[in-house]
Amino acid sequence: MSVLPKALAFDVFGTVVDWRGSIAREAAPVLVAAGRSDIDPHAFADQWRARYVPAMLAANKARAASESTAFVKLDSLHRTMLDDLLATLDIDLDDSTRAELTRGWHRLDPWPDTVAGLTRLKRRFPIVTLSNGNISMMVAMARRAGLPWDAILGAEVAGAYKPAAQTYQATAAALDVAPGELCLVAAHHADLAAARKAGLMCAFVSRPMEYGGRPAPDRDAVQAWEYSATSFTDLADQLGC
Protein backbone atom coordinates (compact mmCIF):
# COMPACT_ATOMS: atom_id res chain seq x y z
CA MET A 1 0.00 0.00 0.00
CA SER A 2 1.18 3.58 -0.62
CA VAL A 3 0.69 5.11 2.85
CA LEU A 4 3.15 3.79 5.41
CA PRO A 5 2.55 3.98 9.17
CA LYS A 6 4.53 6.46 11.24
CA ALA A 7 5.18 3.91 13.98
CA LEU A 8 4.77 0.21 14.72
CA ALA A 9 3.25 -1.13 17.95
CA PHE A 10 3.62 -4.80 18.80
CA ASP A 11 1.51 -7.29 20.65
CA VAL A 12 4.04 -9.32 22.65
CA PHE A 13 2.65 -12.62 23.97
CA GLY A 14 2.59 -15.04 21.05
CA THR A 15 3.59 -12.41 18.49
CA VAL A 16 7.07 -11.50 19.74
CA VAL A 17 7.70 -14.33 22.22
CA ASP A 18 6.77 -17.98 22.60
CA TRP A 19 4.76 -17.94 25.84
CA ARG A 20 3.64 -21.57 25.59
CA GLY A 21 7.04 -23.20 25.16
CA SER A 22 8.63 -20.85 27.68
CA ILE A 23 6.05 -21.39 30.43
CA ALA A 24 6.18 -25.15 29.83
CA ARG A 25 9.95 -24.94 30.37
CA GLU A 26 9.44 -23.01 33.60
CA ALA A 27 6.69 -25.31 34.86
CA ALA A 28 8.31 -28.67 34.07
CA PRO A 29 10.74 -28.88 37.05
CA VAL A 30 8.12 -27.43 39.40
CA LEU A 31 5.61 -30.12 38.45
CA VAL A 32 8.23 -32.85 38.89
CA ALA A 33 9.25 -31.50 42.30
CA ALA A 34 5.59 -31.41 43.33
CA GLY A 35 5.19 -35.08 42.40
CA ARG A 36 2.95 -34.28 39.44
CA SER A 37 4.97 -35.53 36.50
CA ASP A 38 1.65 -36.87 35.20
CA ILE A 39 0.78 -33.33 34.08
CA ASP A 40 2.13 -32.26 30.70
CA PRO A 41 3.93 -28.90 31.14
CA HIS A 42 2.50 -27.62 27.86
CA ALA A 43 -1.02 -28.49 29.00
CA PHE A 44 -0.27 -26.65 32.25
CA ALA A 45 0.79 -23.59 30.23
CA ASP A 46 -2.38 -23.82 28.13
CA GLN A 47 -4.60 -23.98 31.21
CA TRP A 48 -2.85 -21.01 32.80
CA ARG A 49 -3.19 -18.98 29.61
CA ALA A 50 -6.86 -19.98 29.25
CA ARG A 51 -7.59 -17.83 32.30
CA TYR A 52 -6.01 -14.77 30.65
CA VAL A 53 -8.86 -13.26 28.62
CA PRO A 54 -11.51 -13.66 31.36
CA ALA A 55 -9.14 -11.99 33.84
CA MET A 56 -8.53 -9.05 31.49
CA LEU A 57 -12.22 -8.53 30.81
CA ALA A 58 -13.05 -8.70 34.52
CA ALA A 59 -10.35 -6.15 35.32
CA ASN A 60 -11.63 -3.77 32.64
CA LYS A 61 -15.19 -4.19 33.90
CA ALA A 62 -14.17 -3.42 37.48
CA ARG A 63 -12.32 -0.28 36.37
CA ALA A 64 -15.29 0.88 34.30
CA ALA A 65 -17.67 0.35 37.19
CA SER A 66 -15.68 2.51 39.61
CA GLU A 67 -13.17 5.27 38.93
CA SER A 68 -11.62 4.58 42.33
CA THR A 69 -10.66 1.02 41.35
CA ALA A 70 -6.90 0.88 40.81
CA PHE A 71 -5.41 -0.71 37.70
CA VAL A 72 -4.19 -4.22 38.56
CA LYS A 73 -0.94 -5.19 36.84
CA LEU A 74 -0.72 -8.38 34.83
CA ASP A 75 1.84 -9.81 37.27
CA SER A 76 -0.86 -9.76 39.94
CA LEU A 77 -3.46 -11.25 37.63
CA HIS A 78 -1.02 -13.99 36.58
CA ARG A 79 -0.53 -14.91 40.23
CA THR A 80 -4.28 -15.04 40.84
CA MET A 81 -4.71 -17.21 37.73
CA LEU A 82 -1.91 -19.50 38.90
CA ASP A 83 -3.43 -19.91 42.35
CA ASP A 84 -6.75 -20.85 40.77
CA LEU A 85 -5.08 -23.36 38.43
CA LEU A 86 -3.12 -25.00 41.23
CA ALA A 87 -6.28 -25.35 43.29
CA THR A 88 -8.06 -26.92 40.32
CA LEU A 89 -5.21 -29.41 39.81
CA ASP A 90 -4.83 -30.06 43.56
CA ILE A 91 -1.18 -28.96 43.58
CA ASP A 92 0.24 -27.43 46.76
CA LEU A 93 3.18 -25.06 46.24
CA ASP A 94 4.73 -22.69 48.76
CA ASP A 95 4.52 -18.95 48.25
CA SER A 96 8.10 -18.50 47.04
CA THR A 97 7.67 -21.22 44.40
CA ARG A 98 4.43 -19.64 43.23
CA ALA A 99 6.09 -16.23 43.03
CA GLU A 100 9.05 -17.54 41.05
CA LEU A 101 6.80 -19.46 38.67
CA THR A 102 4.78 -16.28 38.10
CA ARG A 103 8.03 -14.45 37.29
CA GLY A 104 8.51 -17.02 34.55
CA TRP A 105 6.38 -14.72 32.41
CA HIS A 106 9.32 -12.26 32.54
CA ARG A 107 11.57 -14.88 30.92
CA LEU A 108 9.75 -15.72 27.70
CA ASP A 109 11.90 -16.67 24.70
CA PRO A 110 11.60 -14.75 21.41
CA TRP A 111 10.68 -16.48 18.17
CA PRO A 112 13.75 -17.16 15.97
CA ASP A 113 13.06 -14.21 13.63
CA THR A 114 12.08 -11.72 16.34
CA VAL A 115 15.30 -9.87 17.17
CA ALA A 116 16.57 -9.69 13.59
CA GLY A 117 13.17 -8.54 12.33
CA LEU A 118 12.69 -5.90 15.02
CA THR A 119 16.20 -4.58 14.41
CA ARG A 120 15.45 -4.12 10.72
CA LEU A 121 12.04 -2.55 11.33
CA LYS A 122 13.54 -0.13 13.86
CA ARG A 123 15.78 1.35 11.16
CA ARG A 124 12.73 2.96 9.56
CA PHE A 125 10.03 3.10 12.24
CA PRO A 126 9.74 3.71 15.98
CA ILE A 127 8.89 0.33 17.51
CA VAL A 128 7.00 0.04 20.80
CA THR A 129 5.09 -2.54 22.75
CA LEU A 130 1.30 -2.49 22.80
CA SER A 131 0.93 -5.31 25.28
CA ASN A 132 -1.20 -6.20 28.27
CA GLY A 133 2.05 -6.99 30.08
CA ASN A 134 3.10 -4.53 32.78
CA ILE A 135 6.13 -2.31 32.32
CA SER A 136 8.52 -4.17 34.64
CA MET A 137 7.65 -7.44 32.93
CA MET A 138 8.23 -6.01 29.45
CA VAL A 139 11.55 -4.45 30.50
CA ALA A 140 12.82 -7.69 32.04
CA MET A 141 11.75 -9.66 28.98
CA ALA A 142 13.39 -7.18 26.63
CA ARG A 143 16.69 -7.16 28.53
CA ARG A 144 16.83 -10.96 28.65
CA ALA A 145 15.91 -11.49 25.00
CA GLY A 146 17.58 -8.44 23.45
CA LEU A 147 14.35 -6.86 22.21
CA PRO A 148 15.26 -3.37 20.91
CA TRP A 149 12.12 -1.43 21.84
CA ASP A 150 12.05 2.36 21.58
CA ALA A 151 9.42 2.49 24.34
CA ILE A 152 7.30 0.25 26.56
CA LEU A 153 3.65 1.18 26.12
CA GLY A 154 0.30 -0.57 26.36
CA ALA A 155 -2.13 -1.51 29.13
CA GLU A 156 -0.34 -0.15 32.19
CA VAL A 157 0.21 3.23 30.50
CA ALA A 158 -3.38 3.33 29.24
CA GLY A 159 -4.90 2.08 32.50
CA ALA A 160 -6.91 -0.56 30.64
CA TYR A 161 -6.34 -3.94 29.03
CA LYS A 162 -6.84 -4.76 25.38
CA PRO A 163 -9.31 -5.05 23.70
CA ALA A 164 -10.46 -1.73 25.21
CA ALA A 165 -10.19 0.99 22.56
CA GLN A 166 -8.38 3.34 24.94
CA THR A 167 -5.44 0.93 25.15
CA TYR A 168 -4.74 1.28 21.44
CA GLN A 169 -5.56 4.99 21.26
CA ALA A 170 -3.47 5.88 24.32
CA THR A 171 -0.47 4.22 22.66
CA ALA A 172 -0.92 6.39 19.58
CA ALA A 173 -1.34 9.48 21.75
CA ALA A 174 1.87 8.71 23.66
CA LEU A 175 3.71 8.71 20.34
CA ASP A 176 2.03 11.94 19.18
CA VAL A 177 0.55 10.21 16.13
CA ALA A 178 -3.05 9.75 15.05
CA PRO A 179 -4.50 6.25 15.54
CA GLY A 180 -4.55 5.81 11.77
CA GLU A 181 -0.81 6.51 11.64
CA LEU A 182 0.00 3.68 14.08
CA CYS A 183 0.14 0.05 12.93
CA LEU A 184 -0.46 -2.79 15.36
CA VAL A 185 1.62 -5.87 14.58
CA ALA A 186 0.04 -8.99 16.03
CA ALA A 187 -0.43 -12.71 15.52
CA HIS A 188 -4.02 -12.54 16.74
CA HIS A 189 -6.95 -11.61 14.53
CA ALA A 190 -9.14 -10.61 17.49
CA ASP A 191 -6.48 -8.17 18.72
CA LEU A 192 -6.15 -6.71 15.24
CA ALA A 193 -9.92 -6.42 14.89
CA ALA A 194 -10.11 -4.40 18.11
CA ALA A 195 -7.20 -2.23 16.95
CA ARG A 196 -8.87 -1.57 13.62
CA LYS A 197 -12.10 -0.63 15.40
CA ALA A 198 -10.03 1.85 17.45
CA GLY A 199 -8.70 3.37 14.22
CA LEU A 200 -5.28 1.71 13.86
CA MET A 201 -3.65 0.14 10.82
CA CYS A 202 -3.02 -3.60 11.15
CA ALA A 203 -0.28 -6.07 10.26
CA PHE A 204 -0.83 -9.79 10.83
CA VAL A 205 2.22 -12.00 11.43
CA SER A 206 1.58 -15.74 11.40
CA ARG A 207 2.80 -17.72 14.43
CA PRO A 208 1.54 -21.26 13.69
CA MET A 209 3.33 -22.78 16.69
CA GLU A 210 1.89 -20.43 19.31
CA TYR A 211 -0.61 -23.11 20.30
CA GLY A 212 1.66 -26.03 19.50
CA GLY A 213 0.39 -26.29 15.94
CA ARG A 214 -3.29 -26.25 16.89
CA PRO A 215 -5.58 -23.75 15.12
CA ALA A 216 -5.70 -20.34 16.77
CA PRO A 217 -8.88 -19.79 18.81
CA ASP A 218 -9.59 -16.46 17.06
CA ARG A 219 -9.12 -17.63 13.48
CA ASP A 220 -12.73 -16.74 12.68
CA ALA A 221 -11.93 -13.04 13.32
CA VAL A 222 -9.68 -12.79 10.25
CA GLN A 223 -10.05 -9.74 8.00
CA ALA A 224 -8.14 -8.29 5.07
CA TRP A 225 -5.41 -6.55 7.04
CA GLU A 226 -3.19 -3.83 5.59
CA TYR A 227 -0.24 -6.22 5.84
CA SER A 228 0.07 -9.97 6.26
CA ALA A 229 3.45 -11.61 6.82
CA THR A 230 5.00 -14.94 7.72
CA SER A 231 7.63 -13.41 10.03
CA PHE A 232 9.04 -10.10 11.23
CA THR A 233 11.72 -10.30 8.56
CA ASP A 234 9.03 -10.81 5.92
CA LEU A 235 7.21 -7.77 7.29
CA ALA A 236 10.48 -5.82 7.13
CA ASP A 237 10.78 -6.77 3.46
CA GLN A 238 7.25 -5.55 2.78
CA LEU A 239 7.88 -2.25 4.57
CA GLY A 240 11.16 -1.62 2.77
CA CYS A 241 13.39 -2.05 5.82
Side-chain angles (χ1 to χ4, degrees), residues 10-13 49 52 56 71-75 78 105-106 129-139 141 152-157 160-162 167:
F10 290 76
D11 170 66
V12 175
F13 300 113
R49 182 68 173 180
Y52 177 78
M56 305 298 105
F71 178 79
V72 180
K73 296 181 182 181
L74 186 56
D75 275 336
H78 271 156
W105 289 92
H106 292 219
T129 66
L130 206 175
S131 172
N132 282 332
N134 47 275
I135 293 170
S136 61
M137 179 195 299
M138 292 293 104
V139 169
M141 196 184 303
I152 305 295
L153 301 173
E156 187 175 356
V157 174
Y161 287 107
K162 297 185 293 182
T167 313

Side-chain angles (χ1 to χ4, degrees), residues 18 20 42 46 111 207-217 219:
D18 174 16
R20 186 175 188 264
H42 288 89
D46 289 337
W111 297 110
R207 298 298 190 195
M209 292 308 296
E210 178 180 1
Y211 300 97
R214 301 194 310 275
R219 59 192 179 278

Side-chain angles (χ1 to χ4, degrees), residues 193-222:
R196 173 170 280 177
K197 188 175 181 180
L200 274 64
M201 297 171 63
C202 297
F204 174 74
V205 176
S206 178
R207 298 298 190 195
M209 292 308 296
E210 178 180 1
Y211 300 97
R214 301 194 310 275
D218 66 346
R219 59 192 179 278
D220 293 337
V222 64

Side-chain angles (χ1 to χ4, degrees), residues 19-24 27 40-50 85 105:
W19 61 264
R20 186 175 188 264
S22 302
I23 292 302
D40 175 36
H42 288 89
F44 184 89
D46 289 337
Q47 292 181 62
W48 196 350
R49 182 68 173 180
L85 174 58
W105 289 92

Side-chain angles (χ1 to χ4, degrees), residues 70-217:
F71 178 79
V72 180
K73 296 181 182 181
L74 186 56
D75 275 336
S76 296
L77 294 181
H78 271 156
R79 174 58 187 268
T80 300
M81 289 183 263
L82 175 63
D83 290 343
D84 179 71
L85 174 58
L86 293 174
T88 299
L89 297 175
D90 194 23
I91 299 174
D92 185 23
L93 300 178
D94 60 41
D95 185 74
S96 63
T97 302
R98 291 172 187 241
E100 186 59 27
L101 189 53
T102 300
R103 281 193 292 271
W105 289 92
H106 292 219
R107 299 186 288 267
L108 306 185
D109 296 328
W111 297 110
D113 63 279
T114 289
V115 174
L118 289 177
T119 300
R120 286 179 56 190
L121 290 163
K122 184 173 179 174
R123 294 172 188 164
R124 187 166 188 177
F125 304 96
I127 60 169
V128 304
T129 66
L130 206 175
S131 172
N132 282 332
N134 47 275
I135 293 170
S136 61
M137 179 195 299
M138 292 293 104
V139 169
M141 196 184 303
R143 289 179 60 82
R144 178 181 179 274
L147 307 176
W149 303 122
D150 288 307
I152 305 295
L153 301 173
E156 187 175 356
V157 174
Y161 287 107
K162 297 185 293 182
Q166 72 188 75
T167 313
Y168 305 97
Q169 293 166 347
T171 301
L175 295 170
D176 285 331
V177 300
E181 297 172 327
L182 180 64
C183 182
L184 176 67
V185 182
H188 312 117
H189 296 297
D191 192 5
L192 292 169
R196 173 170 280 177
K197 188 175 181 180
L200 274 64
M201 297 171 63
C202 297
F204 174 74
V205 176
S206 178
R207 298 298 190 195
M209 292 308 296
E210 178 180 1
Y211 300 97
R214 301 194 310 275

